[in-house]
């Protein structure tokens, strides 16, 4: 076998590497184990080298580079069936051997999409499920669909069995919108035993005359073939995005250069796109900014207090993996303009490479004005248009779809945006029931339950070097009363900066009232004008608090999301803030951010990692159905006393290009 290994230490595993790693692992199994379904390959993923080694290699000069290339390693997670034993196997690709192997009980690795597809087939053939459907008047099981989520919580089995809760729907045709036809029962499925073990049913309220809600049969469609060509709008003229001279970025392997920025694009089954080694060329001087940035976890707590809905708490990163959920993107609709695509490489359950073509879209976008000024005396005006480099993926998390966008701007801003779209996760309610206060009736008998989407960004900075600090900045009215000599007419206010000293202090909530932001700073590098440390400020307008109460299972399992910001010292093994084995986790603070921050550790002037929770509280609207218009949330890192002025000052004046006036006389 020819194994193609890349030359960048953070490049994802190639298809041939995945194949080779699986071969090495298979060879270690006893002959009895070798039938493919006796065990499944949950994940095969690059084990990233330590930052010291990666940076030493990347900063080396070409003659010494080969010797400094870090060892190439893969982490393989196997699940034995039906025992459910989990094997963590570290393989050296460089040395073509297993380096270590550990067997674990009572942990549940991420749930693979292919496990879900397998589960749906078995669930819809299960006699007890067929009987439930029959009672609801559904006799043709080919119209029945199951979205198998991880169980979320199971009082009896906890994490000892690999369990799914299947949210059940019906379709009236193969491409029908199933979320218009929710069913009222939830099979619990044992993944490793491949069987349904229990069926939960939602109860109608006491006041309802129905024992069970009937199945809502009205269709609510959004696909054009269902809407009908004759009903589609005819008043939209084309907008074409053209770049007649090509794009302004260059790609070498997975390294991109654009408008003084450079970065590396990583990808894995779990976090999806990872942005590595970001730097900005400041007047010819390359200044390091961020070592590694990714969405390291998210949680979607649902508000309904009763069974079976109180099991709904989706950790889409830790339970499913954003990489595994990634779409193959379509030119012209998902991505508009001149696009550079990268594939995503994951693995299937047999350990074969599973390639998602066109998983990552890289392109430039016009974003309106970057700056403008008019001299009101002379009418002399100058404007520069802003454009951004976009590196994005779109994931489908069963009903929901998330567009995930990294943006780089010409003024040194680095931004992240989530576009939440797709389908509400719907439930049925009886004709005489009212879904308030935990849901909105988005159609007759169809409820969109209230929930939150809380994302955690892991930001590993290296602003002008690896030793950084993090400060909280609150803008507050002056401490002096009106009339005081320091505040004679009472208008004074100022930013109050608190530099976090340790991991216990560095846990804080967002605060709109004080316009709270955070600053990542390098205290060893003072800005020549401000005489203060150079920095980047971290801003997010989307920092809702986690609403489930302390003590609730979801609060305890998703502790990471109960604070807006955390800072920890860099540790290469601390990537997943709800724990590596987040699925069916007990929520006992034994892993993830709560465990890593139990003891106070200094975070000032150290190699630190910043963890930011941002997101949305989603009270569904009728207009979110049958498909949800994009709702956005995100954050930005803005240069803050880092450069010697606006870094975009050298952007040439905008050209008229293909723009033309459509009314009156053209401006000559
Ligand atoms: N939103 C929960 C989920 C995500 C991915 C796959 C199944 C379920
Ligand atoms: Cu939502």
């Amino acid at each position: 076998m020819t194994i193609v290994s890349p030359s960048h230490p953070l490049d994802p595993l190639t298809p041939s590497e995945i194949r080779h790693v699986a071969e090495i692992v298979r060879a270690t199994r006893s002959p009895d184990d070798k039938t493919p379904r006796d065990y499944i390959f949950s994940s095969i993923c690059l084990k990233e080298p330590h930052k010291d080694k990666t940076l030493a290699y990347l900063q080396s000069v070409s003659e010494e580079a080969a010797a400094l290339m870090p060892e190439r390693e893969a982490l393989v997670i196997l699940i034995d069936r039906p025992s459910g034993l989990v094997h963590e196997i570290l393989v050296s690709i460089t040395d073509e051997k297993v380096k270590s192997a550990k067997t674990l009980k009572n942990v549940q690795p991420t749930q693979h999409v292919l496990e879900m597809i397998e589960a749906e087939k078995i669930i819809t053939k299960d006699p007890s499920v067929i009987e439930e459907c029959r009672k609801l008047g559904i006799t043709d099981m080919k119209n029945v669909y199951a979205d198998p989520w991880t169980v979320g919580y199971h009082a009896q089995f906890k994490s000892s069995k690999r369990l799914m809760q299947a949210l059940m729907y019906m379709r009236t045709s193969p491409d029908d919108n199933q979320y218009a036809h929710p069913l009222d029962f939830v099979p619990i499925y044992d993944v490793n035993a491949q069987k349904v073990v229990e069926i939960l049913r939602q109860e109608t309220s006491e006041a309802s005359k129905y024992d069970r809600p009937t199945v809502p049969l009205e269709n609510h469609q959004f696909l054009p073939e269902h809407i009908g060509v004759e009903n589609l709008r005819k008043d939209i003229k084309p907008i074409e995005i053209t770049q007649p001279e090509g794009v302004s970025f260059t790609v070498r392997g997975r390294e991109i250069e654009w408008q003084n920025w450079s970065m590396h694009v990583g990808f894995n089954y779990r976090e999806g796109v990872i942005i590595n080694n970001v730097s900005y060329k400041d007047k010819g001087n390359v200044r390091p900014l961020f070592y590694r940035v990714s969405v390291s976890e998210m949680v979607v707590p649902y508000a309904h207090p009763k069974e079976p809905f109180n099991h709904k708490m989706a950790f889409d990163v830790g339970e499913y993996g954003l990489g595994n959920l990634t779409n193959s993107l379509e030119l012209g609709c998902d991505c508009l303009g001149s696009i550079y695509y990268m594939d995503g490489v994951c693995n299937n359950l047999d350990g074969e490479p599973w390639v998602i073509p066109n998983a990552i879209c890289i392109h430039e976008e016009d974003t309106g004005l970057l700056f403008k000024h008019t001299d009101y005396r002379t009418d002399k005006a100058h404007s520069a248009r802003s454009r951004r480099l976009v590196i994005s993926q779109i994931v489908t998390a069963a009903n929901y779809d998330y567009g995930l966008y990294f943006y780089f701007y010409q003024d040194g801003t680095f931004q992240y945006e989530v576009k939440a779209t797709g389908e509400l996760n719907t439930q049925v309610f009886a004709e005489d029931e009212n879904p308030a206060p935990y849901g909105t009736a988005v159609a007759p008998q169809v409820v969109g339950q209230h929930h939150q989407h809380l994302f955690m960004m892991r930001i590993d900075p290296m602003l002008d070097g690896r030793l950084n600090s993090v400060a909280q900045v609150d803008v507050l009215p002056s401490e002096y009363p009106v009339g005081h000599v320091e505040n004679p007419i009472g208008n004074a206010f100022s930013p109050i900066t608190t530099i976090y000293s340790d991991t216990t202090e560095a846990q804080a909530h967002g605060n709109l009232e004080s316009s709270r932001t955070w600053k990542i700073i390098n205290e060893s590098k003072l800005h020549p004008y401000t005489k203060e440390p150079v920095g980047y400020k971290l801003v997010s307008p989307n920092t809702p608090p986690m609403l489930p109460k302390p003590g609730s299972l979801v609060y305890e399992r998703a502790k990471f999301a109960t604070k807006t910001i955390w800072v920890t010292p860099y540790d290469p093994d601390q990537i997943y803030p709800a724990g590596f084995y987040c699925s069916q986790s007990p929520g006992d603070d034994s892993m993830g951010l709560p465990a890593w921050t139990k003891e106070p550790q200094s975070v000032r002037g150290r190699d630190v990692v910043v963890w930011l929770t941002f997101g949305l509280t989603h009270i569904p609207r009728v207009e979110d159905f049958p498909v949800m218009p994009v709702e956005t949330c995100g954050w930005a890192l803005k240069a803050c006393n880092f450069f010697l002025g606006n870094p975009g000052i050298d952007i040439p004046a905008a050209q008229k290009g293909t723009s033309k006036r459509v009314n009156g006389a053209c401006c000559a």
Side-chain angles (χ1 to χ4, degrees):
M1 185 186 320
T2 320
I3 310 148
V4 184
S5 279
S7 59
H8 194 291
L10 299 178
D11 274 3
L13 297 185
T14 61
S16 65
E17 285 181 315
I18 289 186
R19 208 169 269 126
H20 188 54
V21 166
E23 272 300 300
I24 292 172
V25 169
R26 270 189 220 107
T28 67
R29 305 289 293 188
S30 80
D32 305 344
D33 280 343
K34 279 194 185 157
T35 53
R37 279 299 182 264
D38 283 348
Y39 56 92
I40 59 164
F41 284 85
S42 179
S43 58
I44 304 177
C45 179
L46 175 72
K47 167 91 172 106
E48 291 175 23
H50 192 285
K51 195 197 270 188
D52 292 348
K53 291 195 170 151
T54 305
L55 288 178
Y57 171 79
L58 293 175
Q59 288 157 4
S60 62
V61 288
S62 54
E63 309 88 71
E64 59 185 24
L68 288 176
M69 180 66 169
E71 182 178 5
R72 190 105 170 127
E73 294 177 329
L75 180 64
V76 180
I77 307 294
L78 282 191
I79 307 175
D80 280 342
R81 285 179 165 186
S83 72
L85 287 178
V86 171
H87 305 276
E88 257 178 28
I89 304 166
L90 184 64
V91 174
S92 168
I93 300 176
T94 312
D95 295 341
E96 302 190 41
K97 64 168 199 218
V98 169
K99 288 184 76 175
S100 65
K102 203 159 67 176
T103 301
L104 302 165
K105 272 190 192 153
N106 296 334
V107 294
Q108 299 304 336
T110 48
Q111 174 174 297
H112 200 293
V113 179
L114 298 170
E115 284 177 284
M116 289 167 52
I117 288 174
E118 179 186 87
E120 183 173 39
K121 285 195 188 121
I122 297 171
I123 291 167
T124 52
K125 288 197 178 71
D126 182 90
S128 56
V129 173
I130 295 173
E131 177 57 15
E132 280 300 314
C133 291
R134 193 195 57 75
K135 287 187 200 152
L136 290 170
I138 306 167
T139 48
D140 190 348
M141 289 305 288
K142 81 170 180 333
N143 297 332
V144 175
Y145 291 79
D147 282 6
W149 293 25
T150 63
V151 76
Y153 161 74
H154 197 281
Q156 184 190 350
F157 295 121
K158 304 207 160 54
S159 55
S160 68
K161 281 188 193 296
R162 188 165 178 77
L163 297 174
M164 292 175 174
Q165 52 177 324
L167 306 185
M168 303 299 296
Y169 304 91
M170 197 200 77
R171 292 188 191 183
T172 59
S173 64
D175 284 329
D176 182 22
N177 173 15
Q178 68 185 42
Y179 300 100
H181 314 293
L183 310 184
D184 72 341
F185 68 96
V186 179
I188 304 294
Y189 173 77
D190 182 328
V191 184
N192 296 326
Q194 296 178 277
K195 63 172 194 230
V196 172
V197 289
E198 190 181 354
I199 292 197
L200 307 177
R201 254 210 227 156
Q202 79 186 64
E203 282 182 5
T204 49
S205 56
E206 266 176 27
S208 173
K209 68 174 193 214
Y210 295 92
D211 282 345
R212 295 182 73 162
T214 54
V215 182
L217 293 175
E218 197 181 314
N219 282 337
H220 298 275
Q221 312 285 23
F222 65 92
L223 292 175
E225 56 267 38
H226 289 130
I227 303 292
V229 192
E230 67 287 3
N231 296 318
L232 298 178
R233 292 179 196 199
K234 311 219 165 28
D235 56 353
I236 309 182
K237 302 274 197 307
I239 292 183
E240 308 247 334
I241 311 289
T242 58
Q243 294 196 279
E245 295 172 33
V247 297
S248 329
F249 58 86
T250 54
V251 183
R252 194 165 38 88
R254 302 182 72 97
E255 287 175 294
I256 302 177
E257 287 196 17
W258 178 80
Q259 298 287 294
N260 297 319
W261 287 97
S262 66
M263 74 288 299
H264 170 273
V265 184
F267 183 87
N268 69 28
Y269 75 100
R270 186 144 171 172
E271 297 152 279
V273 173
I274 303 163
I275 301 294
N276 298 307
N277 204 23
V278 179
S279 65
Y280 191 93
K281 204 189 300 159
D282 178 15
K283 302 192 189 334
N285 182 20
V286 176
R287 299 178 71 180
L289 296 180
F290 304 99
Y291 178 70
R292 187 186 193 278
V293 182
S294 70
V295 181
S296 58
E297 194 49 270
M298 64 175 285
V299 64
V300 185
Y302 280 78
H304 200 290
K306 302 275 177 65
E307 285 257 349
F309 307 125
N310 55 13
H311 295 221
K312 285 171 61 185
M313 48 185 101
F315 293 67
D316 291 322
V317 178
E319 292 183 336
Y320 308 95
L322 297 181
N324 279 346
L325 300 177
T326 299
N327 294 183
S328 210
L329 298 171
E330 286 284 328
L331 200 58
C333 30
D334 294 324
C335 326
L336 199 59
S338 302
I339 311 295
Y340 188 104
Y341 281 120
M342 287 181 185
D343 293 345
V345 180
C346 301
N347 63 280
N348 69 16
L349 302 183
D350 296 332
E352 294 297 319
W354 186 42
V355 179
I356 305 163
N358 305 342
I360 305 170
C361 165
I362 300 163
H363 76 300
E364 292 171 282
E365 267 175 14
D366 179 281
T367 54
L369 274 186
L370 181 65
F371 57 80
K372 169 164 187 171
H373 181 61
T374 303
D375 185 325
Y376 70 88
R377 296 167 199 82
T378 60
D379 264 353
K380 168 103 183 151
H382 173 57
S383 5
R385 300 232 22 118
S386 170
R387 71 169 75 177
R388 62 188 178 198
L389 178 74
V390 187
I391 303 178
S392 67
Q393 72 182 116
I394 301 179
V395 303
T396 297
N399 52 296
Y400 264 110
D401 298 79
Y402 297 106
L404 306 171
Y405 300 82
F406 289 93
Y407 300 129
F408 298 87
Y409 292 83
Q410 291 155 306
D411 68 344
T413 297
F414 177 24
Q415 190 189 352
Y416 189 76
E417 185 174 52
V418 174
K419 299 187 186 184
T421 177
E423 301 259 4
L424 295 168
N425 186 263
T426 54
Q427 270 66 50
V428 62
F429 65 102
E431 280 160 64
D432 60 355
E433 283 187 301
N434 179 356
Y438 302 114
T440 305
V442 294
Q445 279 191 265
V446 181
V447 55
Q449 288 176 339
H450 304 340
H451 57 278
Q452 300 188 283
H453 303 253
L454 301 172
F455 300 83
M456 171 147 272
M457 212 74 201
R458 181 182 181 279
I459 301 167
D460 181 345
M462 48 174 185
L463 296 187
D464 277 345
R466 283 174 63 178
L467 306 186
N468 288 175
S469 307
V470 179
Q472 175 179 310
V473 183
D474 293 289
V475 187
L476 297 173
S478 165
E479 63 187 281
Y480 300 106
V482 183
H484 188 280
V485 64
E486 294 297 333
N487 196 12
I489 63 165
N491 60 298
F493 63 89
S494 62
I496 305 297
T497 300
T498 313
I499 302 178
Y500 294 139
S501 58
D502 65 36
T503 44
T504 44
E505 194 180 72
Q507 298 179 20
H509 296 280
N511 185 356
L512 282 178
E513 279 183 32
S514 67
S515 308
R516 182 170 291 167
T517 56
W518 290 272
K519 242 164 103 172
I520 306 172
I521 53 178
N522 185 330
E523 291 189 83
S524 71
K525 184 124 188 262
L526 299 188
H527 192 280
Y529 304 162
T530 65
K531 318 286 187 237
E532 300 280 344
V534 296
Y536 257 70
K537 77 171 173 181
L538 178 55
V539 196
S540 172
N542 312 111
T543 57
M546 148 93 82
L547 293 170
K549 289 202 158 154
S552 66
L553 187 75
V554 65
Y555 185 101
E556 300 302 322
R557 289 185 64 206
K559 272 268 173 68
F560 71 89
T562 65
K563 305 275 167 57
T564 306
I565 201 105
W566 308 65
V567 185
T568 56
Y570 167 78
D571 179 328
D573 295 324
Q574 295 181 357
I575 306 282
Y576 303 116
F580 184 80
Y581 295 107
C582 146
S583 280
Q584 296 175 239
S585 59
D588 60 2
D589 288 2
S590 60
M591 54 200 200
L593 269 173
W596 306 332
T597 54
K598 220 171 260 163
E599 301 301 325
Q601 297 162 76
S602 163
V603 290
R604 186 155 181 186
R606 289 191 68 177
D607 189 352
V608 290
V609 174
V610 181
W611 309 79
L612 173 78
T613 306
F614 68 97
L616 300 164
T617 296
H618 189 180
I619 304 301
R621 306 171 298 146
V622 176
E623 292 78 4
D624 290 337
F625 194 69
V627 66
M628 192 177 124
V630 160
E631 191 81 48
T632 63
C633 60
W635 53 263
L637 275 156
K638 296 172 86 73
C640 187
N641 313 327
F642 190 80
F643 297 109
L644 294 178
N646 178 347
I649 209 81
D650 54 352
I651 293 165
Q655 300 298 306
K656 203 157 54 159
T658 55
S659 300
K660 62 179 181 205
R661 182 170 173 158
V662 296
N663 72 318
C666 178
C667 43

